Every structure is written in structure tokens, then in C-alpha cells.
Amino acid sequence: MNLSFVFMASGFGKRFGANKLYVPLEGKPLYRHGLECLMETAVRLRQEDGHQVRLVVVSQYRKILEDGERLGLETVYNGASDEGITASLRLGTEAGGEDGDIFLFFVADQPYMKSATLTEFVRGFIKSGFGMGCVCSMGKRGNPAAFSRLYREELLSLRGDKGGSVIMKKHPMDVWSMEVSENELKDIDVQADLDREQEQPGKMQAGKRWNNE
């Protein structure tokens, strides 16, 4: 099965007051935690399950794109980041290719997601037979989210800062979800979130170099 993982790192961090993706958290930039989790998951699914996995980094930031290239990942410049997350979804879907069976979207400001959890989610989604899937905590949906190739054209046609949730709302009976811990869905949205995490740091995932070949 062809899996396309899209790491979306184009946000402006307006509520944070600066580019939060670069701020240090436990010895590395914030975005790196999620990226390494995604890389580790991709390696596991490739080696243990035999899937073909491509990992695409979508960003408006040169440093993040250059970092992705050094890691052997595909990178896509987002020149329409003022549209919000929708532009990243479209660009990531396009980069994932017409032969992609599943498109998984991962946000860059969610540092506590574990690779084991993400792997379980992807495997569960594949087995579910549903066309869309997301993680949730106590019934509240969150990221990452996955879409089968059936929804590729709808992803490509998205406009406005609405995100993939608009497609899920349109087809509510075709959405599978997996419950995860609330901690893993934490995101860094404002400075107070970062301050709180630095006072009580969590355990981050160690990543490895990986390429799409």
C-alpha cells in the first residue's frame, strides 16, 4: 500500500506572537519533535508492514525545508500560507501523487504524539475500511487525520482556511476515529503553553534519518 505522510509546518504563530516552530523545547526546535515521530513511524510501517511510504514536508520556512532535505525527505515550498492550513493540505495531497492510497496529515506544533500511537492509528485506519480517520480524546477530534484516495479530489479542491474537517462533516458516516491520551494531542498555541511544558517537560521521541526511497 502507498502511504503519503504530509508534515504541515507553515503556520504563522499569530497567537504565539512569533514563529513558534523554531522555539526550543527540550533541546530542539518545536517542529522537530513531530517530524521525528513521523519519520520513526514511516520507518516502522515500511520495515514491519511492507508499505511504501513517502514523507513530504510542506512549509513556508527555508530552515525547515532545508532540514527536511538534509534528512532525505521530500519538501514542498508553501507560497500560499496566508490561506491557512488548506494550502498545506492541497500541496501535500498533490505531492503525495495520484498513486497514493492513504494521505496522512500531521501538524507541526504537536510535540507529544508517540510513534507507537501513530503507528497504531495508521494500522487501525487501514483495517477499518473507512475513507477517513482521525485521533480523538474523550470524543474531541484532533490531529493527525487520514484520508483514503477516494477523497483526493476533494482535498485538492479545498479553499479557504477550513481544513480537512469540512470533508469529514460532509461525509460523517465514513469517519473512523481512535481514542488517544489527551497529553498526546497537546499543541503549543500560545507562550503560556510553552512555559508550562518547560516547567513540566514531557518525554519526546528520538528520531532517525530516513529517506523516501
Side-chain angles (χ1 to χ4, degrees), residues 118-160:
L118 186 55
T119 301
E120 181 184 358
F121 170 70
V122 175
R123 288 172 174 166
F125 176 64
I126 292 172
K127 292 179 181 178
S128 74
F130 283 75
M132 294 175 281
C134 63
V135 296
C136 64
S137 179
M138 296 181 287
K140 183 178 180 180
R141 291 178 177 175
N143 289 293
F147 296 79
S148 77
R149 66 192 310 167
L150 295 174
Y151 292 101
R152 184 174 186 271
E153 293 305 316
E154 289 193 52
L155 288 165
L156 290 172
S157 66
L158 285 172
R159 294 295 184 273

Side-chain angles (χ1 to χ4, degrees), residues 35-47:
L35 181 58
E36 291 178 0
C37 171
L38 203 59
M39 291 165 59
E40 183 176 334
T41 302
V43 169
R44 182 176 296 176
L45 290 169
R46 184 181 181 187
Q47 294 180 348

Side-chain angles (χ1 to χ4, degrees), residues 15-206:
R15 293 187 61 193
F16 191 85
N19 183 1
K20 62 183 178 181
L21 301 182
Y22 289 162
V23 300
L25 179 62
E26 296 196 14
K28 65 182 72 173
L30 172 62
Y31 78 88
R32 258 294 195 146
H33 297 286
L35 181 58
E36 291 178 0
C37 171
L38 203 59
M39 291 165 59
E40 183 176 334
T41 302
V43 169
R44 182 176 296 176
L45 290 169
R46 184 181 181 187
Q47 294 180 348
E48 297 179 8
D49 297 46
H51 296 305
Q52 297 296 317
V53 187
R54 64 194 306 173
L55 203 163
V56 181
V57 177
V58 179
S59 182
Q60 65 167 317
Y61 300 112
R62 178 176 56 83
K63 290 183 180 179
I64 295 178
L65 294 173
E66 290 177 348
D67 193 21
E69 291 172 358
R70 282 193 296 270
L71 292 166
L73 309 176
E74 295 183 40
T75 59
V76 176
Y77 172 68
N78 184 357
S81 52
D82 57 339
E83 289 185 42
I85 196 171
T86 299
S88 292
L89 287 166
R90 288 203 314 271
L91 290 168
T93 301
E94 185 175 2
E98 295 182 2
D99 61 343
D101 295 306
I102 291 175
F103 300 87
L104 181 136
F105 299 94
F106 195 103
V107 292
D109 62 350
Q110 194 171 297
Y112 292 106
M113 176 62 63
K114 298 176 181 177
S115 176
T117 302
L118 186 55
T119 301
E120 181 184 358
F121 170 70
V122 175
R123 288 172 174 166
F125 176 64
I126 292 172
K127 292 179 181 178
S128 74
F130 283 75
M132 294 175 281
C134 63
V135 296
C136 64
S137 179
M138 296 181 287
K140 183 178 180 180
R141 291 178 177 175
N143 289 293
F147 296 79
S148 77
R149 66 192 310 167
L150 295 174
Y151 292 101
R152 184 174 186 271
E153 293 305 316
E154 289 193 52
L155 288 165
L156 290 172
S157 66
L158 285 172
R159 294 295 184 273
D161 191 11
K162 298 179 180 179
S165 62
V166 67
I167 303 177
M168 292 186 176
K169 291 177 181 178
K170 185 178 178 181
H171 309 278
M173 301 304 293
D174 200 22
V175 181
W176 175 82
S177 62
M178 187 183 88
E179 186 77 12
V180 302
S181 71
E182 184 179 9
N183 184 68
E184 290 189 69
L185 294 186
K186 283 183 181 178
D187 61 1
I188 304 299
D189 198 19
V190 296
Q191 181 66 47
D193 294 333
L194 180 63
D195 295 340
R196 184 166 50 252
E197 296 307 317
Q198 289 175 332
E199 291 173 2
Q200 299 178 334
K203 295 181 179 179
M204 299 299 174
Q205 300 292 303

